[in-house]
Amino acid sequence: MLKEKLRHLKRISPNGFDIFGYFKKYCVDNKLFLLTFYCLYIAIIAISMFIVLNYENNLVHDNYYQLLMQGEYEYTKVSLKYTLYNLLIAFVAMITYKKKYAFACLYFLVTFIAYRLAVNIMGSWQYTTLINILNTILFYFPIFTIYIIVIVTMVCYINKNYLYCHDRCPFTLKKIMIFTLTLFISSTLLILLHTILYPFITSKILF
């Protein structure tokens, strides 16, 4: 009995909010989108890598950690580039607001992002094993996955608050713009970790 109470206390935040309960409900309510979007993402990556390995012999893309080792990595340019991509993706996801099933087009966007991730990884896999692994796990894969998380989060939010209330939605365009901006800022901070902080730390430790 005491163990159950302690377990219950551990999963509740200081303000009484049940973190695990909320997360469980979120997953149950949005299981269709969570499963389909993320499974599509993983499947397209795998298929694209197979295609690239077999048919694209001369594919070349930036290996940012190779540029970092050579002293040619441009922190501002690279971080701005991927931040703008993030803004575009968040905006595209947002404009499906109150348009039932319009977010189906986002499946095509996820497919394109997954394909580009595979192409970028395989096209930049031309240097030493360490450089290739760092470029993949600290740069390309996290950033592109953040894009997918932004899309799925927007779809789940729209589905919950807008799709089935017709003209009686308690949420307004202003609120969805605030949510989108909050999501963009938080995801951009994560992107900046991978485009500025991690490369800077890695350059000091390894290069």
Side-chain angles (χ1 to χ4, degrees), residues 59-93:
L59 195 64
V60 177
H61 281 278
D62 288 332
N63 185 309
Y64 290 102
Y65 276 77
Q66 177 67 18
L67 294 175
L68 190 67
M69 187 177 70
Q70 296 173 341
E72 298 176 2
Y73 183 85
E74 300 179 20
Y75 289 90
T76 302
K77 180 180 178 180
V78 174
S79 60
L80 182 60
K81 172 184 175 181
Y82 287 96
T83 297
L84 290 176
Y85 286 161
N86 189 39
L87 178 62
L88 177 62
I89 289 169
F91 175 76
V92 170

mmCIF file of all heavy atoms in Angstrom, residues 59-93:
data_model
loop_
_atom_site.group_PDB
_atom_site.id
_atom_site.type_symbol
_atom_site.label_atom_id
_atom_site.label_comp_id
_atom_site.label_asym_id
_atom_site.label_seq_id
_atom_site.Cartn_x
_atom_site.Cartn_y
_atom_site.Cartn_z
ATOM 1 N N LEU A 59 26.181 10.983 -55.324
ATOM 2 C CA LEU A 59 25.443 11.910 -54.472
ATOM 3 C C LEU A 59 26.378 12.549 -53.461
ATOM 4 O O LEU A 59 27.129 11.867 -52.760
ATOM 5 C CB LEU A 59 24.339 11.136 -53.736
ATOM 6 C CG LEU A 59 23.244 11.955 -53.069
ATOM 7 C CD1 LEU A 59 22.436 12.732 -54.091
ATOM 8 C CD2 LEU A 59 22.323 11.023 -52.284
ATOM 9 N N VAL A 60 26.356 13.892 -53.384
ATOM 10 C CA VAL A 60 27.223 14.613 -52.450
ATOM 11 C C VAL A 60 26.412 15.667 -51.703
ATOM 12 O O VAL A 60 25.707 16.466 -52.326
ATOM 13 C CB VAL A 60 28.392 15.312 -53.185
ATOM 14 C CG1 VAL A 60 29.236 16.105 -52.192
ATOM 15 C CG2 VAL A 60 29.247 14.294 -53.906
ATOM 16 N N HIS A 61 26.488 15.643 -50.369
ATOM 17 C CA HIS A 61 25.846 16.654 -49.539
ATOM 18 C C HIS A 61 26.808 17.087 -48.441
ATOM 19 O O HIS A 61 27.788 16.389 -48.149
ATOM 20 C CB HIS A 61 24.551 16.112 -48.927
ATOM 21 C CG HIS A 61 23.409 16.115 -49.885
ATOM 22 N ND1 HIS A 61 22.650 17.234 -50.152
ATOM 23 C CD2 HIS A 61 22.905 15.132 -50.679
ATOM 24 C CE1 HIS A 61 21.725 16.937 -51.044
ATOM 25 N NE2 HIS A 61 21.867 15.675 -51.389
ATOM 26 N N ASP A 62 26.511 18.223 -47.847
ATOM 27 C CA ASP A 62 27.400 18.763 -46.821
ATOM 28 C C ASP A 62 27.502 17.828 -45.631
ATOM 29 O O ASP A 62 26.506 17.345 -45.094
ATOM 30 C CB ASP A 62 26.879 20.121 -46.326
ATOM 31 C CG ASP A 62 27.058 21.216 -47.358
ATOM 32 O OD1 ASP A 62 27.986 21.116 -48.174
ATOM 33 O OD2 ASP A 62 26.255 22.168 -47.348
ATOM 34 N N ASN A 63 28.746 17.589 -45.226
ATOM 35 C CA ASN A 63 29.000 16.921 -43.955
ATOM 36 C C ASN A 63 29.475 18.028 -43.017
ATOM 37 O O ASN A 63 30.609 18.484 -43.087
ATOM 38 C CB ASN A 63 30.064 15.831 -44.104
ATOM 39 C CG ASN A 63 30.241 15.043 -42.825
ATOM 40 O OD1 ASN A 63 30.433 15.606 -41.751
ATOM 41 N ND2 ASN A 63 30.183 13.716 -42.939
ATOM 42 N N TYR A 64 28.578 18.469 -42.147
ATOM 43 C CA TYR A 64 28.854 19.660 -41.355
ATOM 44 C C TYR A 64 29.971 19.455 -40.341
ATOM 45 O O TYR A 64 30.667 20.406 -39.974
ATOM 46 C CB TYR A 64 27.570 20.124 -40.663
ATOM 47 C CG TYR A 64 26.566 20.700 -41.638
ATOM 48 C CD1 TYR A 64 25.467 19.961 -42.066
ATOM 49 C CD2 TYR A 64 26.741 21.972 -42.168
ATOM 50 C CE1 TYR A 64 24.553 20.491 -42.978
ATOM 51 C CE2 TYR A 64 25.837 22.499 -43.081
ATOM 52 C CZ TYR A 64 24.746 21.749 -43.476
ATOM 53 O OH TYR A 64 23.860 22.278 -44.390
ATOM 54 N N TYR A 65 30.168 18.238 -39.912
ATOM 55 C CA TYR A 65 31.254 17.990 -38.961
ATOM 56 C C TYR A 65 32.600 17.899 -39.672
ATOM 57 O O TYR A 65 33.636 18.166 -39.081
ATOM 58 C CB TYR A 65 30.950 16.754 -38.119
ATOM 59 C CG TYR A 65 30.068 17.115 -36.946
ATOM 60 C CD1 TYR A 65 28.711 17.325 -37.106
ATOM 61 C CD2 TYR A 65 30.607 17.325 -35.679
ATOM 62 C CE1 TYR A 65 27.903 17.708 -36.054
ATOM 63 C CE2 TYR A 65 29.818 17.713 -34.611
ATOM 64 C CZ TYR A 65 28.462 17.898 -34.810
ATOM 65 O OH TYR A 65 27.672 18.301 -33.750
ATOM 66 N N GLN A 66 32.582 17.559 -40.946
ATOM 67 C CA GLN A 66 33.806 17.650 -41.742
ATOM 68 C C GLN A 66 34.166 19.123 -41.953
ATOM 69 O O GLN A 66 35.336 19.506 -41.837
ATOM 70 C CB GLN A 66 33.606 16.957 -43.089
ATOM 71 C CG GLN A 66 34.797 17.049 -44.031
ATOM 72 C CD GLN A 66 36.013 16.297 -43.543
ATOM 73 O OE1 GLN A 66 35.897 15.430 -42.682
ATOM 74 N NE2 GLN A 66 37.175 16.616 -44.084
ATOM 75 N N LEU A 67 33.149 19.941 -42.243
ATOM 76 C CA LEU A 67 33.380 21.381 -42.370
ATOM 77 C C LEU A 67 33.882 21.968 -41.052
ATOM 78 O O LEU A 67 34.740 22.853 -41.038
ATOM 79 C CB LEU A 67 32.083 22.084 -42.798
ATOM 80 C CG LEU A 67 31.547 21.751 -44.187
ATOM 81 C CD1 LEU A 67 30.191 22.430 -44.408
ATOM 82 C CD2 LEU A 67 32.540 22.189 -45.258
ATOM 83 N N LEU A 68 33.336 21.477 -39.962
ATOM 84 C CA LEU A 68 33.751 21.934 -38.638
ATOM 85 C C LEU A 68 35.220 21.601 -38.405
ATOM 86 O O LEU A 68 35.993 22.437 -37.897
ATOM 87 C CB LEU A 68 32.877 21.266 -37.573
ATOM 88 C CG LEU A 68 32.988 21.768 -36.140
ATOM 89 C CD1 LEU A 68 32.449 23.187 -36.028
ATOM 90 C CD2 LEU A 68 32.221 20.840 -35.203
ATOM 91 N N MET A 69 35.632 20.405 -38.769
ATOM 92 C CA MET A 69 37.025 19.980 -38.588
ATOM 93 C C MET A 69 37.974 20.818 -39.451
ATOM 94 O O MET A 69 39.106 21.104 -39.055
ATOM 95 C CB MET A 69 37.160 18.499 -38.934
ATOM 96 C CG MET A 69 38.525 17.916 -38.613
ATOM 97 S SD MET A 69 38.614 16.144 -38.970
ATOM 98 C CE MET A 69 38.568 16.179 -40.760
ATOM 99 N N GLN A 70 37.475 21.236 -40.615
ATOM 100 C CA GLN A 70 38.301 22.039 -41.525
ATOM 101 C C GLN A 70 38.250 23.524 -41.206
ATOM 102 O O GLN A 70 38.906 24.322 -41.876
ATOM 103 C CB GLN A 70 37.826 21.821 -42.966
ATOM 104 C CG GLN A 70 38.012 20.395 -43.459
ATOM 105 C CD GLN A 70 37.378 20.157 -44.811
ATOM 106 O OE1 GLN A 70 36.516 20.916 -45.249
ATOM 107 N NE2 GLN A 70 37.799 19.104 -45.493
ATOM 108 N N GLY A 71 37.441 23.908 -40.221
ATOM 109 C CA GLY A 71 37.305 25.312 -39.863
ATOM 110 C C GLY A 71 36.443 26.098 -40.824
ATOM 111 O O GLY A 71 36.521 27.334 -40.865
ATOM 112 N N GLU A 72 35.609 25.412 -41.610
ATOM 113 C CA GLU A 72 34.772 26.080 -42.609
ATOM 114 C C GLU A 72 33.280 26.085 -42.238
ATOM 115 O O GLU A 72 32.441 26.484 -43.043
ATOM 116 C CB GLU A 72 34.944 25.379 -43.967
ATOM 117 C CG GLU A 72 36.379 25.444 -44.481
ATOM 118 C CD GLU A 72 36.559 24.662 -45.763
ATOM 119 O OE1 GLU A 72 35.546 24.108 -46.275
ATOM 120 O OE2 GLU A 72 37.696 24.587 -46.262
ATOM 121 N N TYR A 73 32.970 25.649 -41.047
ATOM 122 C CA TYR A 73 31.567 25.595 -40.607
ATOM 123 C C TYR A 73 31.080 27.008 -40.280
ATOM 124 O O TYR A 73 31.707 27.718 -39.498
ATOM 125 C CB TYR A 73 31.456 24.698 -39.374
ATOM 126 C CG TYR A 73 30.047 24.510 -38.856
ATOM 127 C CD1 TYR A 73 29.224 23.530 -39.397
ATOM 128 C CD2 TYR A 73 29.539 25.300 -37.828
ATOM 129 C CE1 TYR A 73 27.938 23.327 -38.930
ATOM 130 C CE2 TYR A 73 28.252 25.116 -37.355
ATOM 131 C CZ TYR A 73 27.456 24.135 -37.901
ATOM 132 O OH TYR A 73 26.176 23.950 -37.430
ATOM 133 N N GLU A 74 29.961 27.427 -40.880
ATOM 134 C CA GLU A 74 29.410 28.769 -40.670
ATOM 135 C C GLU A 74 28.212 28.687 -39.732
ATOM 136 O O GLU A 74 27.103 28.339 -40.144
ATOM 137 C CB GLU A 74 29.004 29.379 -42.011
ATOM 138 C CG GLU A 74 30.172 29.523 -42.985
ATOM 139 C CD GLU A 74 29.745 30.119 -44.314
ATOM 140 O OE1 GLU A 74 28.674 30.768 -44.361
ATOM 141 O OE2 GLU A 74 30.476 29.944 -45.294
ATOM 142 N N TYR A 75 28.432 28.991 -38.463
ATOM 143 C CA TYR A 75 27.407 28.831 -37.434
ATOM 144 C C TYR A 75 26.128 29.599 -37.760
ATOM 145 O O TYR A 75 25.026 29.050 -37.691
ATOM 146 C CB TYR A 75 27.949 29.287 -36.080
ATOM 147 C CG TYR A 75 28.983 28.363 -35.484
ATOM 148 C CD1 TYR A 75 30.335 28.529 -35.755
ATOM 149 C CD2 TYR A 75 28.599 27.322 -34.643
ATOM 150 C CE1 TYR A 75 31.283 27.679 -35.209
ATOM 151 C CE2 TYR A 75 29.539 26.473 -34.079
ATOM 152 C CZ TYR A 75 30.893 26.656 -34.376
ATOM 153 O OH TYR A 75 31.826 25.813 -33.827
ATOM 154 N N THR A 76 26.274 30.871 -38.101
ATOM 155 C CA THR A 76 25.103 31.718 -38.341
ATOM 156 C C THR A 76 24.317 31.261 -39.558
ATOM 157 O O THR A 76 23.085 31.120 -39.508
ATOM 158 C CB THR A 76 25.528 33.187 -38.530
ATOM 159 O OG1 THR A 76 26.250 33.628 -37.370
ATOM 160 C CG2 THR A 76 24.301 34.069 -38.729
ATOM 161 N N LYS A 77 24.997 31.014 -40.640
ATOM 162 C CA LYS A 77 24.340 30.611 -41.890
ATOM 163 C C LYS A 77 23.595 29.288 -41.723
ATOM 164 O O LYS A 77 22.435 29.151 -42.139
ATOM 165 C CB LYS A 77 25.379 30.496 -43.005
ATOM 166 C CG LYS A 77 24.789 30.081 -44.342
ATOM 167 C CD LYS A 77 25.880 29.994 -45.409
ATOM 168 C CE LYS A 77 25.287 29.525 -46.735
ATOM 169 N NZ LYS A 77 26.350 29.432 -47.788
ATOM 170 N N VAL A 78 24.256 28.317 -41.102
ATOM 171 C CA VAL A 78 23.658 26.992 -40.954
ATOM 172 C C VAL A 78 22.465 27.037 -39.998
ATOM 173 O O VAL A 78 21.391 26.485 -40.294
ATOM 174 C CB VAL A 78 24.706 25.979 -40.443
ATOM 175 C CG1 VAL A 78 24.052 24.638 -40.136
ATOM 176 C CG2 VAL A 78 25.808 25.801 -41.483
ATOM 177 N N SER A 79 22.615 27.696 -38.862
ATOM 178 C CA SER A 79 21.520 27.760 -37.886
ATOM 179 C C SER A 79 20.325 28.532 -38.441
ATOM 180 O O SER A 79 19.167 28.144 -38.232
ATOM 181 C CB SER A 79 22.001 28.407 -36.580
ATOM 182 O OG SER A 79 22.469 29.724 -36.807
ATOM 183 N N LEU A 80 20.591 29.598 -39.189
ATOM 184 C CA LEU A 80 19.508 30.380 -39.786
ATOM 185 C C LEU A 80 18.768 29.547 -40.840
ATOM 186 O O LEU A 80 17.528 29.579 -40.918
ATOM 187 C CB LEU A 80 20.069 31.645 -40.424
ATOM 188 C CG LEU A 80 19.039 32.595 -41.056
ATOM 189 C CD1 LEU A 80 18.039 33.080 -40.014
ATOM 190 C CD2 LEU A 80 19.750 33.789 -41.710
ATOM 191 N N LYS A 81 19.502 28.797 -41.623
ATOM 192 C CA LYS A 81 18.913 27.958 -42.668
ATOM 193 C C LYS A 81 17.921 26.963 -42.080
ATOM 194 O O LYS A 81 16.761 26.884 -42.526
ATOM 195 C CB LYS A 81 20.028 27.219 -43.407
ATOM 196 C CG LYS A 81 19.540 26.166 -44.391
ATOM 197 C CD LYS A 81 20.734 25.433 -45.005
ATOM 198 C CE LYS A 81 20.285 24.285 -45.893
ATOM 199 N NZ LYS A 81 21.458 23.560 -46.470
ATOM 200 N N TYR A 82 18.320 26.239 -41.062
ATOM 201 C CA TYR A 82 17.451 25.205 -40.499
ATOM 202 C C TYR A 82 16.353 25.791 -39.618
ATOM 203 O O TYR A 82 15.289 25.186 -39.470
ATOM 204 C CB TYR A 82 18.297 24.172 -39.748
ATOM 205 C CG TYR A 82 19.052 23.289 -40.711
ATOM 206 C CD1 TYR A 82 20.374 23.563 -41.057
ATOM 207 C CD2 TYR A 82 18.421 22.214 -41.325
ATOM 208 C CE1 TYR A 82 21.053 22.773 -41.965
ATOM 209 C CE2 TYR A 82 19.088 21.419 -42.246
ATOM 210 C CZ TYR A 82 20.407 21.696 -42.558
ATOM 211 O OH TYR A 82 21.069 20.921 -43.479
ATOM 212 N N THR A 83 16.581 26.980 -39.080
ATOM 213 C CA THR A 83 15.527 27.667 -38.335
ATOM 214 C C THR A 83 14.422 28.131 -39.281
ATOM 215 O O THR A 83 13.229 28.019 -38.968
ATOM 216 C CB THR A 83 16.101 28.873 -37.568
ATOM 217 O OG1 THR A 83 17.049 28.412 -36.603
ATOM 218 C CG2 THR A 83 14.992 29.631 -36.848
ATOM 219 N N LEU A 84 14.790 28.637 -40.443
ATOM 220 C CA LEU A 84 13.800 29.075 -41.432
ATOM 221 C C LEU A 84 12.998 27.891 -41.964
ATOM 222 O O LEU A 84 11.788 28.006 -42.199
ATOM 223 C CB LEU A 84 14.489 29.818 -42.578
ATOM 224 C CG LEU A 84 15.060 31.196 -42.223
ATOM 225 C CD1 LEU A 84 15.811 31.794 -43.407
ATOM 226 C CD2 LEU A 84 13.952 32.143 -41.776
ATOM 227 N N TYR A 85 13.665 26.761 -42.161
ATOM 228 C CA TYR A 85 12.940 25.552 -42.552
ATOM 229 C C TYR A 85 11.908 25.186 -41.491
ATOM 230 O O TYR A 85 10.777 24.805 -41.798
ATOM 231 C CB TYR A 85 13.914 24.382 -42.741
ATOM 232 C CG TYR A 85 14.748 24.438 -43.997
ATOM 233 C CD1 TYR A 85 15.914 23.689 -44.109
ATOM 234 C CD2 TYR A 85 14.369 25.224 -45.076
ATOM 235 C CE1 TYR A 85 16.692 23.727 -45.260
ATOM 236 C CE2 TYR A 85 15.139 25.272 -46.231
ATOM 237 C CZ TYR A 85 16.309 24.525 -46.315
ATOM 238 O OH TYR A 85 17.077 24.568 -47.453
ATOM 239 N N ASN A 86 12.307 25.306 -40.247
ATOM 240 C CA ASN A 86 11.411 24.990 -39.138
ATOM 241 C C ASN A 86 10.201 25.921 -39.126
ATOM 242 O O ASN A 86 9.065 25.485 -38.900
ATOM 243 C CB ASN A 86 12.166 25.092 -37.815
ATOM 244 C CG ASN A 86 11.362 24.578 -36.644
ATOM 245 O OD1 ASN A 86 10.647 23.584 -36.747
ATOM 246 N ND2 ASN A 86 11.453 25.252 -35.511
ATOM 247 N N LEU A 87 10.431 27.190 -39.371
ATOM 248 C CA LEU A 87 9.344 28.163 -39.433
ATOM 249 C C LEU A 87 8.381 27.831 -40.561
ATOM 250 O O LEU A 87 7.153 27.894 -40.387
ATOM 251 C CB LEU A 87 9.919 29.570 -39.618
ATOM 252 C CG LEU A 87 8.896 30.711 -39.758
ATOM 253 C CD1 LEU A 87 8.044 30.816 -38.497
ATOM 254 C CD2 LEU A 87 9.612 32.031 -40.042
ATOM 255 N N LEU A 88 8.918 27.477 -41.708
ATOM 256 C CA LEU A 88 8.083 27.132 -42.865
ATOM 257 C C LEU A 88 7.225 25.904 -42.557
ATOM 258 O O LEU A 88 6.017 25.878 -42.864
ATOM 259 C CB LEU A 88 8.967 26.866 -44.081
ATOM 260 C CG LEU A 88 8.241 26.417 -45.353
ATOM 261 C CD1 LEU A 88 7.266 27.491 -45.827
ATOM 262 C CD2 LEU A 88 9.247 26.081 -46.448
ATOM 263 N N ILE A 89 7.817 24.906 -41.954
ATOM 264 C CA ILE A 89 7.087 23.674 -41.634
ATOM 265 C C ILE A 89 5.983 23.945 -40.622
ATOM 266 O O ILE A 89 4.856 23.460 -40.763
ATOM 267 C CB ILE A 89 8.066 22.603 -41.116
ATOM 268 C CG1 ILE A 89 8.936 22.107 -42.274
ATOM 269 C CG2 ILE A 89 7.323 21.447 -40.447
ATOM 270 C CD1 ILE A 89 10.102 21.256 -41.850
ATOM 271 N N ALA A 90 6.290 24.729 -39.587
ATOM 272 C CA ALA A 90 5.279 25.067 -38.575
ATOM 273 C C ALA A 90 4.124 25.843 -39.208
ATOM 274 O O ALA A 90 2.953 25.608 -38.885
ATOM 275 C CB ALA A 90 5.915 25.878 -37.446
ATOM 276 N N PHE A 91 4.450 26.748 -40.124
ATOM 277 C CA PHE A 91 3.415 27.551 -40.782
ATOM 278 C C PHE A 91 2.534 26.670 -41.670
ATOM 279 O O PHE A 91 1.302 26.799 -41.661
ATOM 280 C CB PHE A 91 4.055 28.661 -41.614
ATOM 281 C CG PHE A 91 3.064 29.452 -42.426
ATOM 282 C CD1 PHE A 91 2.256 30.399 -41.825
ATOM 283 C CD2 PHE A 91 2.938 29.239 -43.803
ATOM 284 C CE1 PHE A 91 1.326 31.127 -42.567
ATOM 285 C CE2 PHE A 91 2.022 29.959 -44.548
ATOM 286 C CZ PHE A 91 1.221 30.903 -43.926
ATOM 287 N N VAL A 92 3.163 25.783 -42.445
ATOM 288 C CA VAL A 92 2.403 24.893 -43.326
ATOM 289 C C VAL A 92 1.460 24.011 -42.509
ATOM 290 O O VAL A 92 0.300 23.793 -42.893
ATOM 291 C CB VAL A 92 3.357 24.020 -44.165
ATOM 292 C CG1 VAL A 92 2.592 22.919 -44.889
ATOM 293 C CG2 VAL A 92 4.101 24.882 -45.178
ATOM 294 N N ALA A 93 1.943 23.513 -41.374
ATOM 295 C CA ALA A 93 1.086 22.694 -40.513
ATOM 296 C C ALA A 93 -0.056 23.520 -39.930
ATOM 297 O O ALA A 93 -1.187 23.037 -39.812
ATOM 298 C CB ALA A 93 1.917 22.067 -39.396
#
